Amino acid sequence: EDQVTQSPEALRLQEGESSSLNCSYTVSGLRGLFWYRQDPGKGPEFLFTLYSAGEEKEKERLKATLTKKESFLHITAPKPEDSATYLCAVQTSGGSNYKLTFGKGTLLTVNP
Amino acid sequence: DAGITQSPRHKVTETGTPVTLRCHQTENHRYMYWYRQDPGHGLRLIHYSYGVKDTDKGEVSDGYSVSRSKTEDFLLTLESATSSQTSVYFCATRTGTNYGYTFGSGTRLTVV
């Protein structure tokens, strides 16, 4: 059974205080690892896709990295508007069909 | 949300009544998904579709059925609503290899 574990469950930072979120996974046949951002009352919003160990993607203050067992979302000098729940998901394939399995998310709060 | 409309946005219903949630997409995507999101559980897959009239179960499918008679519409039916089905329901489409999945804005369902 595919499993995705995110840590910590919640993280509180001061503005400008860099940190990392972790996503560890156990899957058979990884077809991609996704990071999403979710604001209260809204659907998840796509951030990154990573496919192979060693791959990195960046967007503004966010940088996602991937190893064979986990992914990190690094947040550099965060701002209050970065406050959100960050979700990690793995895409696996059963035959020719694709499914996403999500972690429970990390609630990030950035205080001014 | 990139061509995905969920309806209704909010619904309160009584235990034992049937309920149908609708997901409509305008992008002609093949894959569509229904997830539910609950505190402490994250996003869990209910059912998904890989084409017209082609559907399969996810990890929490008991008590739910789906239908897809047209590419653009994916319906989720709660046969006989129970309080445990109180949740926020998200529809998603698979938008392509590099861009992950796009989510709708969600339907908040309360079963009383």
Side-chain angles (χ1 to χ4, degrees), chain A residues 37 39 60-62 75-86 108-110:
Chain A
R37 170 191 171 124
D39 293 302
E60 297 180 355
R61 295 176 292 282
L62 300 177
I75 303 175
T76 302
K79 299 182 177 181
E81 52 262 42
D82 294 322
S83 297
T85 296
Y86 290 86
L108 175 66
T109 304
V110 182

Side-chain angles (χ1 to χ4, degrees), chain A residues 18-23 33-36 47-50 54-67 70-78 82 86 108:
Chain A
S18 301
S19 188
S20 297
L21 312 182
N22 177 262
C23 171
L33 185 139
F34 298 80
W35 282 98
Y36 288 86
L47 292 174
F48 304 109
T49 309
L50 302 167
E55 189 174 359
E56 299 181 352
K57 296 274 181 73
E58 287 189 67
K59 179 181 180 180
E60 297 180 355
R61 295 176 292 282
L62 300 177
K63 179 181 177 180
T65 62
L66 181 66
T67 72
E70 58 190 350
S71 176
F72 292 93
L73 184 64
H74 307 278
I75 303 175
T76 302
D82 294 322
Y86 290 86
L108 175 66

Side-chain angles (χ1 to χ4, degrees), chain A residues 92-99, chain B residues 30-31 33 48-50 56 101:
Chain A
T92 57
S93 64
S96 59
N97 297 325
Y98 295 89
K99 296 183 290 184
Chain B
R30 178 183 174 191
Y31 288 87
Y33 306 83
Y48 66 102
S49 171
Y50 46 97
D56 204 352
Y101 297 64

Side-chain angles (χ1 to χ4, degrees), chain B residues 46-61:
Chain B
I46 305 171
H47 281 280
Y48 66 102
S49 171
Y50 46 97
V52 173
K53 297 187 179 180
D54 291 323
T55 65
D56 204 352
K57 296 178 179 180
E59 60 178 303
V60 290
S61 60

